[in-house]
Amino acid sequence: MYALVDGNNFYASCERVFNPGLQHKPVVVLSNNDGIIIARSNEAKALGIKMGTPAFKIKDLVNQNQVVAFSSNYALYGDMSQRMMQIFHDFTPAVEVYSIDEAFLDFNGFDLSHIRATGVKLRQKVRKYIGIPVSVGFAPTKTLAKIANRIAKKHMSDGVALIDTPEKIKKALQMTAIEDVWGIGRQHSRFLQQHKVKTAWDFTQLSDSFIRKKMSVTGLRTKAELLGTACIPLELIPPPRKAIRTARSFVKSTADYEFINEAVARFAAACGEKLRQQQSAANLLTVFLRTDKFDKKNSYYANSFTVQLSNTSSGIDLVKAAKKALKIIYKKDFTYKKAGVLVSGLVPEKNRQLSLFDTHYSKHRQVMKIMDQINKTNGYHVLKLAAEGQASAWHLKQKYRSKRYTTRWQELIEIKV
DNA sequence: TCTGGGGTCCTAGGACCC
DNA sequence: TCTGGGGTCCTAGGACCC
């Protein structure tokens, strides 16, 4: 028996924890650069505000209905997430943190006769300790737990749903639209609907060979999971990433080479930090660059270039490689809206293949270690490579960001009495 | 004026090996 | 005229997830 627990409207709920006056009011959270809607409270959903809508398109709606908008505050959401996950560990040791706002919990081997009550208790505890409302869905497979969670959110007043018999499975599948099944995205649900598959139940009635042919083994796995055969195991220890990417849109398109060069250096350095955090080294580094894809007046240009590295997590090596790659793809007749750096071909740092002529690496390693340490204890990026420039020049637009209440002493919540 | 960011897995086809 | 059989590795593209 698995449970899927997730925070309802997570980012919006995080904002409400520190701003209780926002209960029952429409709240939305915006993406980087305050571009699009990435989270909505129920009240905002009721107003018809859709996920992914550009913020400027719903300006009137926001003003008319006193919708409160926040820039995204990942420092806050990340920390709130960790606290929430800790509570989950009070209920079972087997917790897979699946995303910032949800986790799969494994209750195999538990006495299941009171499992529903456990769900209610978990929900109450998270509400009390963290302040976030969560929904809990129990079922024998992860895919069904996702469905149970959805039902809990939509139909259960206590936020908990349990699917534990073949009859309940059938009923749950019949009330779930095909496009709401975990693992079936836009393309496949459009295709399936053309074949008269409307619900998750309809999907389970298709033949294995048809599914295999049209949706490969992943589709087959989804069918088995929906019928109660667990195929997707719990991952208790997150496997190391196989690729790491840092990319940003610029607030304004620009042709300024120095500006882009510094931004790309910053992205490369950020990739290095993430690499060292998971103790990996990279063998490839890709820089990509593109103009504004929404700009119909000017011609579109997008390009990328990949540089070979030799097992490095040194920010110095990465920045050097990134600058080299940028030089190759930059064309001066365009203005650029977005750039990024991707490192791949990752290997565990301890398996690093040494090179005979490799004299600099151990020095770099020590420098990076010290940099990381200083940045950790003294605040993000007090120390950086000169190539990264003054960073502030290309800073994100974050007009409505709340304080980082839980991770900065200077930004603690203030209570006036 | 204004449109995010970061990942994974599977398959087919090409290049290569014996 | 007639041209085997079995395998691996890599990459690009498409689908999916949050």
Side-chain angles (χ1 to χ4, degrees), chain A residues 31-32 36 212 221 242 245 247-249 294:
Chain A
S31 66
N32 276 338
I36 62 169
R212 167 75 234 228
R221 216 147 35 208
K242 295 175 174 175
R245 174 194 304 252
R248 291 290 177 278
S249 297
F294 297 103

mmCIF file of all heavy atoms in Angstrom, chain A residues 31-32 36 212 221 242 245 247-249 294, chain B residues 1-11:
data_model
loop_
_atom_site.group_PDB
_atom_site.id
_atom_site.type_symbol
_atom_site.label_atom_id
_atom_site.label_comp_id
_atom_site.label_asym_id
_atom_site.label_seq_id
_atom_site.Cartn_x
_atom_site.Cartn_y
_atom_site.Cartn_z
ATOM 1 N N SER A 31 6.045 32.813 -12.331
ATOM 2 C CA SER A 31 7.331 32.171 -12.641
ATOM 3 C C SER A 31 8.451 33.201 -12.540
ATOM 4 O O SER A 31 8.225 34.376 -12.265
ATOM 5 C CB SER A 31 7.287 31.637 -14.058
ATOM 6 O OG SER A 31 7.187 32.723 -14.954
ATOM 7 N N ASN A 32 9.669 32.766 -12.821
ATOM 8 C CA ASN A 32 10.793 33.689 -12.932
ATOM 9 C C ASN A 32 10.440 34.834 -13.863
ATOM 10 O O ASN A 32 9.729 34.640 -14.840
ATOM 11 C CB ASN A 32 12.003 32.955 -13.508
ATOM 12 C CG ASN A 32 12.770 32.224 -12.424
ATOM 13 O OD1 ASN A 32 12.669 32.561 -11.244
ATOM 14 N ND2 ASN A 32 13.518 31.232 -12.816
ATOM 15 N N ILE A 36 4.745 33.887 -16.142
ATOM 16 C CA ILE A 36 3.487 33.153 -16.268
ATOM 17 C C ILE A 36 3.000 32.669 -14.906
ATOM 18 O O ILE A 36 3.740 32.697 -13.926
ATOM 19 C CB ILE A 36 3.655 31.920 -17.201
ATOM 20 C CG1 ILE A 36 4.682 30.941 -16.619
ATOM 21 C CG2 ILE A 36 4.072 32.343 -18.593
ATOM 22 C CD1 ILE A 36 4.709 29.606 -17.335
ATOM 23 N N ARG A 212 1.208 -1.433 -26.507
ATOM 24 C CA ARG A 212 2.643 -1.606 -26.704
ATOM 25 C C ARG A 212 3.088 -0.923 -28.010
ATOM 26 O O ARG A 212 4.099 -0.253 -28.081
ATOM 27 C CB ARG A 212 2.963 -3.099 -26.704
ATOM 28 C CG ARG A 212 4.331 -3.534 -27.193
ATOM 29 C CD ARG A 212 5.394 -3.249 -26.173
ATOM 30 N NE ARG A 212 6.433 -2.461 -26.804
ATOM 31 C CZ ARG A 212 7.741 -2.696 -26.731
ATOM 32 N NH1 ARG A 212 8.175 -3.647 -25.961
ATOM 33 N NH2 ARG A 212 8.588 -1.944 -27.370
ATOM 34 N N ARG A 221 3.053 -0.353 -18.839
ATOM 35 C CA ARG A 221 3.296 -0.254 -17.402
ATOM 36 C C ARG A 221 2.148 0.502 -16.734
ATOM 37 O O ARG A 221 1.658 0.108 -15.682
ATOM 38 C CB ARG A 221 4.625 0.484 -17.180
ATOM 39 C CG ARG A 221 5.384 -0.057 -16.025
ATOM 40 C CD ARG A 221 6.885 -0.010 -16.149
ATOM 41 N NE ARG A 221 7.453 1.112 -16.847
ATOM 42 C CZ ARG A 221 8.608 1.048 -17.495
ATOM 43 N NH1 ARG A 221 9.286 -0.068 -17.521
ATOM 44 N NH2 ARG A 221 9.078 2.111 -18.109
ATOM 45 N N LYS A 242 21.597 12.858 -14.173
ATOM 46 C CA LYS A 242 22.413 12.504 -15.334
ATOM 47 C C LYS A 242 22.775 13.737 -16.157
ATOM 48 O O LYS A 242 23.629 13.680 -17.023
ATOM 49 C CB LYS A 242 21.647 11.510 -16.213
ATOM 50 C CG LYS A 242 21.426 10.201 -15.487
ATOM 51 C CD LYS A 242 20.580 9.259 -16.288
ATOM 52 C CE LYS A 242 20.515 7.910 -15.576
ATOM 53 N NZ LYS A 242 19.612 6.993 -16.268
ATOM 54 N N ARG A 245 21.188 21.457 -15.590
ATOM 55 C CA ARG A 245 21.003 22.597 -16.474
ATOM 56 C C ARG A 245 20.753 23.865 -15.666
ATOM 57 O O ARG A 245 20.052 23.848 -14.661
ATOM 58 C CB ARG A 245 19.798 22.326 -17.363
ATOM 59 C CG ARG A 245 19.369 23.458 -18.260
ATOM 60 C CD ARG A 245 17.980 23.194 -18.815
ATOM 61 N NE ARG A 245 17.923 21.917 -19.519
ATOM 62 C CZ ARG A 245 17.834 21.796 -20.850
ATOM 63 N NH1 ARG A 245 17.776 22.856 -21.602
ATOM 64 N NH2 ARG A 245 17.776 20.623 -21.402
ATOM 65 N N ALA A 247 19.527 27.772 -16.768
ATOM 66 C CA ALA A 247 19.156 28.621 -17.890
ATOM 67 C C ALA A 247 18.217 29.717 -17.396
ATOM 68 O O ALA A 247 17.470 29.513 -16.449
ATOM 69 C CB ALA A 247 18.475 27.801 -18.973
ATOM 70 N N ARG A 248 18.270 30.845 -18.035
ATOM 71 C CA ARG A 248 17.369 31.950 -17.681
ATOM 72 C C ARG A 248 16.969 32.730 -18.925
ATOM 73 O O ARG A 248 17.758 32.861 -19.850
ATOM 74 C CB ARG A 248 18.066 32.943 -16.733
ATOM 75 C CG ARG A 248 18.344 32.433 -15.347
ATOM 76 C CD ARG A 248 17.087 32.254 -14.506
ATOM 77 N NE ARG A 248 17.402 31.700 -13.204
ATOM 78 C CZ ARG A 248 17.593 30.413 -12.958
ATOM 79 N NH1 ARG A 248 17.490 29.545 -13.925
ATOM 80 N NH2 ARG A 248 17.901 29.994 -11.756
ATOM 81 N N SER A 249 15.752 33.269 -18.855
ATOM 82 C CA SER A 249 15.367 34.281 -19.824
ATOM 83 C C SER A 249 15.843 35.622 -19.295
ATOM 84 O O SER A 249 15.838 35.844 -18.088
ATOM 85 C CB SER A 249 13.850 34.323 -19.956
ATOM 86 O OG SER A 249 13.376 33.103 -20.444
ATOM 87 N N PHE A 294 8.748 34.633 -29.210
ATOM 88 C CA PHE A 294 7.436 35.261 -29.418
ATOM 89 C C PHE A 294 7.524 36.494 -30.306
ATOM 90 O O PHE A 294 6.529 37.081 -30.673
ATOM 91 C CB PHE A 294 6.808 35.652 -28.083
ATOM 92 C CG PHE A 294 6.524 34.466 -27.218
ATOM 93 C CD1 PHE A 294 7.341 34.153 -26.142
ATOM 94 C CD2 PHE A 294 5.438 33.640 -27.487
ATOM 95 C CE1 PHE A 294 7.083 33.047 -25.365
ATOM 96 C CE2 PHE A 294 5.180 32.531 -26.709
ATOM 97 C CZ PHE A 294 5.997 32.230 -25.646
ATOM 98 P P DT B 1 3.274 47.536 -26.947
ATOM 99 O OP1 DT B 1 3.413 46.864 -28.139
ATOM 100 O OP2 DT B 1 2.130 47.460 -26.070
ATOM 101 O "O5'" DT B 1 4.525 47.396 -25.941
ATOM 102 C "C5'" DT B 1 5.845 47.344 -26.243
ATOM 103 C "C4'" DT B 1 6.558 46.821 -25.016
ATOM 104 O "O4'" DT B 1 5.907 47.330 -23.828
ATOM 105 C "C3'" DT B 1 6.488 45.296 -24.881
ATOM 106 O "O3'" DT B 1 7.773 44.841 -24.549
ATOM 107 C "C2'" DT B 1 5.490 45.048 -23.782
ATOM 108 C "C1'" DT B 1 5.712 46.255 -22.901
ATOM 109 N N1 DT B 1 4.534 46.589 -22.030
ATOM 110 C C2 DT B 1 4.710 46.571 -20.670
ATOM 111 O O2 DT B 1 5.765 46.286 -20.140
ATOM 112 N N3 DT B 1 3.594 46.895 -19.948
ATOM 113 C C4 DT B 1 2.357 47.238 -20.441
ATOM 114 O O4 DT B 1 1.447 47.499 -19.680
ATOM 115 C C5 DT B 1 2.241 47.249 -21.877
ATOM 116 C C7 DT B 1 0.943 47.611 -22.511
ATOM 117 C C6 DT B 1 3.316 46.927 -22.609
ATOM 118 P P DC B 2 8.061 43.258 -24.684
ATOM 119 O OP1 DC B 2 9.508 43.125 -24.558
ATOM 120 O OP2 DC B 2 7.353 42.764 -25.880
ATOM 121 O "O5'" DC B 2 7.371 42.582 -23.403
ATOM 122 C "C5'" DC B 2 8.007 42.670 -22.146
ATOM 123 C "C4'" DC B 2 7.187 41.891 -21.136
ATOM 124 O "O4'" DC B 2 5.966 42.597 -20.893
ATOM 125 C "C3'" DC B 2 6.781 40.515 -21.641
ATOM 126 O "O3'" DC B 2 7.578 39.536 -20.999
ATOM 127 C "C2'" DC B 2 5.318 40.346 -21.272
ATOM 128 C "C1'" DC B 2 4.888 41.707 -20.772
ATOM 129 N N1 DC B 2 3.769 42.295 -21.553
ATOM 130 C C2 DC B 2 2.898 43.152 -20.901
ATOM 131 O O2 DC B 2 3.077 43.371 -19.698
ATOM 132 N N3 DC B 2 1.885 43.711 -21.590
ATOM 133 C C4 DC B 2 1.728 43.444 -22.889
ATOM 134 N N4 DC B 2 0.721 44.034 -23.507
ATOM 135 C C5 DC B 2 2.624 42.581 -23.577
ATOM 136 C C6 DC B 2 3.622 42.030 -22.878
ATOM 137 P P DT B 3 8.129 38.323 -21.929
ATOM 138 O OP1 DT B 3 9.369 37.881 -21.308
ATOM 139 O OP2 DT B 3 8.067 38.693 -23.363
ATOM 140 O "O5'" DT B 3 7.005 37.218 -21.727
ATOM 141 C "C5'" DT B 3 6.615 36.789 -20.422
ATOM 142 C "C4'" DT B 3 6.120 35.361 -20.554
ATOM 143 O "O4'" DT B 3 4.933 35.346 -21.376
ATOM 144 C "C3'" DT B 3 7.117 34.419 -21.237
ATOM 145 O "O3'" DT B 3 7.060 33.165 -20.586
ATOM 146 C "C2'" DT B 3 6.596 34.307 -22.662
ATOM 147 C "C1'" DT B 3 5.105 34.406 -22.422
ATOM 148 N N1 DT B 3 4.343 34.907 -23.585
ATOM 149 C C2 DT B 3 3.442 34.068 -24.153
ATOM 150 O O2 DT B 3 3.243 32.939 -23.759
ATOM 151 N N3 DT B 3 2.778 34.597 -25.226
ATOM 152 C C4 DT B 3 2.916 35.858 -25.765
ATOM 153 O O4 DT B 3 2.267 36.217 -26.723
ATOM 154 C C5 DT B 3 3.899 36.689 -25.108
ATOM 155 C C7 DT B 3 4.153 38.080 -25.612
ATOM 156 C C6 DT B 3 4.553 36.181 -24.076
ATOM 157 P P DG B 4 8.215 32.118 -20.686
ATOM 158 O OP1 DG B 4 9.357 32.741 -21.355
ATOM 159 O OP2 DG B 4 7.613 30.902 -21.260
ATOM 160 O "O5'" DG B 4 8.594 31.751 -19.194
ATOM 161 C "C5'" DG B 4 8.889 32.735 -18.196
ATOM 162 C "C4'" DG B 4 9.738 32.028 -17.175
ATOM 163 O "O4'" DG B 4 8.959 30.994 -16.566
ATOM 164 C "C3'" DG B 4 10.940 31.341 -17.830
ATOM 165 O "O3'" DG B 4 12.064 31.552 -17.016
ATOM 166 C "C2'" DG B 4 10.555 29.888 -17.925
ATOM 167 C "C1'" DG B 4 9.573 29.740 -16.749
ATOM 168 N N9 DG B 4 8.541 28.748 -17.001
ATOM 169 C C8 DG B 4 7.728 28.652 -18.099
ATOM 170 N N7 DG B 4 6.898 27.651 -18.034
ATOM 171 C C5 DG B 4 7.183 27.050 -16.811
ATOM 172 C C6 DG B 4 6.607 25.922 -16.185
ATOM 173 O O6 DG B 4 5.695 25.195 -16.604
ATOM 174 N N1 DG B 4 7.209 25.658 -14.951
ATOM 175 C C2 DG B 4 8.210 26.395 -14.389
ATOM 176 N N2 DG B 4 8.659 25.999 -13.212
ATOM 177 N N3 DG B 4 8.752 27.454 -14.977
ATOM 178 C C4 DG B 4 8.190 27.718 -16.167
ATOM 179 P P DG B 5 13.476 31.000 -17.509
ATOM 180 O OP1 DG B 5 14.479 31.908 -16.951
ATOM 181 O OP2 DG B 5 13.461 30.686 -18.947
ATOM 182 O "O5'" DG B 5 13.569 29.634 -16.715
ATOM 183 C "C5'" DG B 5 13.539 29.678 -15.294
ATOM 184 C "C4'" DG B 5 13.682 28.280 -14.804
ATOM 185 O "O4'" DG B 5 12.465 27.551 -15.068
ATOM 186 C "C3'" DG B 5 14.806 27.501 -15.507
ATOM 187 O "O3'" DG B 5 15.607 26.953 -14.503
ATOM 188 C "C2'" DG B 5 14.084 26.452 -16.320
ATOM 189 C "C1'" DG B 5 12.816 26.267 -15.491
ATOM 190 N N9 DG B 5 11.696 25.703 -16.213
ATOM 191 C C8 DG B 5 11.206 26.056 -17.439
ATOM 192 N N7 DG B 5 10.191 25.326 -17.813
ATOM 193 C C5 DG B 5 10.008 24.435 -16.765
ATOM 194 C C6 DG B 5 9.068 23.392 -16.588
ATOM 195 O O6 DG B 5 8.176 23.045 -17.372
ATOM 196 N N1 DG B 5 9.233 22.739 -15.376
ATOM 197 C C2 DG B 5 10.194 23.052 -14.444
ATOM 198 N N2 DG B 5 10.221 22.316 -13.330
ATOM 199 N N3 DG B 5 11.086 24.017 -14.589
ATOM 200 C C4 DG B 5 10.931 24.661 -15.773
ATOM 201 P P DG B 6 16.938 26.208 -14.874
ATOM 202 O OP1 DG B 6 17.915 26.580 -13.854
ATOM 203 O OP2 DG B 6 17.236 26.316 -16.313
ATOM 204 O "O5'" DG B 6 16.509 24.702 -14.607
ATOM 205 C "C5'" DG B 6 16.170 24.317 -13.281
ATOM 206 C "C4'" DG B 6 15.781 22.878 -13.331
ATOM 207 O "O4'" DG B 6 14.511 22.756 -14.017
ATOM 208 C "C3'" DG B 6 16.769 22.009 -14.132
ATOM 209 O "O3'" DG B 6 17.227 20.962 -13.314
ATOM 210 C "C2'" DG B 6 15.963 21.504 -15.300
ATOM 211 C "C1'" DG B 6 14.545 21.572 -14.741
ATOM 212 N N9 DG B 6 13.547 21.568 -15.804
ATOM 213 C C8 DG B 6 13.489 22.353 -16.920
ATOM 214 N N7 DG B 6 12.484 22.052 -17.699
ATOM 215 C C5 DG B 6 11.848 21.003 -17.051
ATOM 216 C C6 DG B 6 10.704 20.247 -17.409
ATOM 217 O O6 DG B 6 10.005 20.351 -18.410
ATOM 218 N N1 DG B 6 10.401 19.287 -16.455
ATOM 219 C C2 DG B 6 11.113 19.079 -15.295
ATOM 220 N N2 DG B 6 10.685 18.108 -14.495
ATOM 221 N N3 DG B 6 12.178 19.773 -14.950
ATOM 222 C C4 DG B 6 12.492 20.709 -15.875
ATOM 223 P P DG B 7 18.541 20.144 -13.694
ATOM 224 O OP1 DG B 7 19.488 20.347 -12.638
ATOM 225 O OP2 DG B 7 18.905 20.404 -15.106
ATOM 226 O "O5'" DG B 7 18.021 18.664 -13.576
ATOM 227 C "C5'" DG B 7 17.789 17.927 -14.755
ATOM 228 C "C4'" DG B 7 16.565 17.111 -14.509
ATOM 229 O "O4'" DG B 7 15.435 17.838 -15.008
ATOM 230 C "C3'" DG B 7 16.555 15.824 -15.305
ATOM 231 O "O3'" DG B 7 17.237 14.841 -14.533
ATOM 232 C "C2'" DG B 7 15.068 15.510 -15.366
ATOM 233 C "C1'" DG B 7 14.436 16.921 -15.387
ATOM 234 N N9 DG B 7 13.953 17.309 -16.719
ATOM 235 C C8 DG B 7 14.403 18.319 -17.530
ATOM 236 N N7 DG B 7 13.725 18.416 -18.644
ATOM 237 C C5 DG B 7 12.787 17.410 -18.558
ATOM 238 C C6 DG B 7 11.766 17.025 -19.470
ATOM 239 O O6 DG B 7 11.502 17.514 -20.571
ATOM 240 N N1 DG B 7 11.033 15.954 -18.996
ATOM 241 C C2 DG B 7 11.241 15.327 -17.786
ATOM 242 N N2 DG B 7 10.446 14.313 -17.483
ATOM 243 N N3 DG B 7 12.180 15.684 -16.917
ATOM 244 C C4 DG B 7 12.913 16.724 -17.375
ATOM 245 P P DT B 8 17.876 13.568 -15.265
ATOM 246 O OP1 DT B 8 18.693 12.854 -14.286
ATOM 247 O OP2 DT B 8 18.445 14.010 -16.544
ATOM 248 O "O5'" DT B 8 16.590 12.689 -15.593
ATOM 249 C "C5'" DT B 8 15.783 12.190 -14.524
ATOM 250 C "C4'" DT B 8 14.706 11.324 -15.138
ATOM 251 O "O4'" DT B 8 13.887 12.159 -16.003
ATOM 252 C "C3'" DT B 8 15.304 10.240 -16.021
ATOM 253 O "O3'" DT B 8 14.992 8.964 -15.509
ATOM 254 C "C2'" DT B 8 14.680 10.412 -17.380
ATOM 255 C "C1'" DT B 8 13.610 11.450 -17.194
ATOM 256 N N1 DT B 8 13.652 12.397 -18.318
ATOM 257 C C2 DT B 8 12.692 12.272 -19.283
ATOM 258 O O2 DT B 8 11.831 11.418 -19.246
ATOM 259 N N3 DT B 8 12.789 13.155 -20.309
ATOM 260 C C4 DT B 8 13.729 14.152 -20.474
ATOM 261 O O4 DT B 8 13.698 14.887 -21.442
ATOM 262 C C5 DT B 8 14.721 14.225 -19.430
ATOM 263 C C7 DT B 8 15.786 15.260 -19.494
ATOM 264 C C6 DT B 8 14.636 13.359 -18.412
ATOM 265 P P DC B 9 15.747 7.692 -16.181
ATOM 266 O OP1 DC B 9 15.882 6.714 -15.087
ATOM 267 O OP2 DC B 9 16.908 8.122 -16.983
ATOM 268 O "O5'" DC B 9 14.661 7.180 -17.219
ATOM 269 C "C5'" DC B 9 13.311 6.964 -16.843
ATOM 270 C "C4'" DC B 9 12.532 6.640 -18.095
ATOM 271 O "O4'" DC B 9 12.485 7.814 -18.932
ATOM 272 C "C3'" DC B 9 13.191 5.544 -18.923
ATOM 273 O "O3'" DC B 9 12.198 4.589 -19.234
ATOM 274 C "C2'" DC B 9 13.704 6.248 -20.166
ATOM 275 C "C1'" DC B 9 12.792 7.460 -20.272
ATOM 276 N N1 DC B 9 13.423 8.636 -20.920
ATOM 277 C C2 DC B 9 12.786 9.216 -22.017
ATOM 278 O O2 DC B 9 11.722 8.734 -22.428
ATOM 279 N N3 DC B 9 13.356 10.296 -22.611
ATOM 280 C C4 DC B 9 14.497 10.790 -22.144
ATOM 281 N N4 DC B 9 15.009 11.851 -22.760
ATOM 282 C C5 DC B 9 15.155 10.212 -21.028
ATOM 283 C C6 DC B 9 14.596 9.140 -20.438
ATOM 284 P P DC B 10 12.588 3.195 -19.930
ATOM 285 O OP1 DC B 10 11.692 2.181 -19.370
ATOM 286 O OP2 DC B 10 14.060 3.026 -19.897
ATOM 287 O "O5'" DC B 10 12.184 3.449 -21.442
ATOM 288 C "C5'" DC B 10 10.808 3.679 -21.756
ATOM 289 C "C4'" DC B 10 10.704 3.896 -23.237
ATOM 290 O "O4'" DC B 10 11.344 5.151 -23.572
ATOM 291 C "C3'" DC B 10 11.413 2.816 -24.059
ATOM 292 O "O3'" DC B 10 10.447 2.239 -24.918
ATOM 293 C "C2'" DC B 10 12.534 3.546 -24.800
ATOM 294 C "C1'" DC B 10 12.090 5.003 -24.762
ATOM 295 N N1 DC B 10 13.198 5.992 -24.689
ATOM 296 C C2 DC B 10 13.254 7.004 -25.646
ATOM 297 O O2 DC B 10 12.405 7.044 -26.536
ATOM 298 N N3 DC B 10 14.257 7.925 -25.563
ATOM 299 C C4 DC B 10 15.157 7.854 -24.578
ATOM 300 N N4 DC B 10 16.116 8.781 -24.545
ATOM 301 C C5 DC B 10 15.101 6.834 -23.599
ATOM 302 C C6 DC B 10 14.114 5.920 -23.679
ATOM 303 P P DT B 11 10.855 1.021 -25.900
ATOM 304 O OP1 DT B 11 9.648 0.211 -26.079
ATOM 305 O OP2 DT B 11 12.116 0.427 -25.423
ATOM 306 O "O5'" DT B 11 11.171 1.781 -27.261
ATOM 307 C "C5'" DT B 11 10.227 2.728 -27.736
ATOM 308 C "C4'" DT B 11 10.723 3.271 -29.057
ATOM 309 O "O4'" DT B 11 11.709 4.295 -28.810
ATOM 310 C "C3'" DT B 11 11.390 2.219 -29.939
ATOM 311 O "O3'" DT B 11 10.811 2.298 -31.230
ATOM 312 C "C2'" DT B 11 12.871 2.593 -29.955
ATOM 313 C "C1'" DT B 11 12.834 4.078 -29.640
ATOM 314 N N1 DT B 11 14.000 4.611 -28.883
ATOM 315 C C2 DT B 11 14.541 5.809 -29.267
ATOM 316 O O2 DT B 11 14.124 6.455 -30.198
ATOM 317 N N3 DT B 11 15.596 6.238 -28.499
ATOM 318 C C4 DT B 11 16.146 5.593 -27.419
ATOM 319 O O4 DT B 11 17.100 6.081 -26.817
ATOM 320 C C5 DT B 11 15.542 4.333 -27.069
ATOM 321 C C7 DT B 11 16.079 3.549 -25.916
ATOM 322 C C6 DT B 11 14.503 3.909 -27.812
#
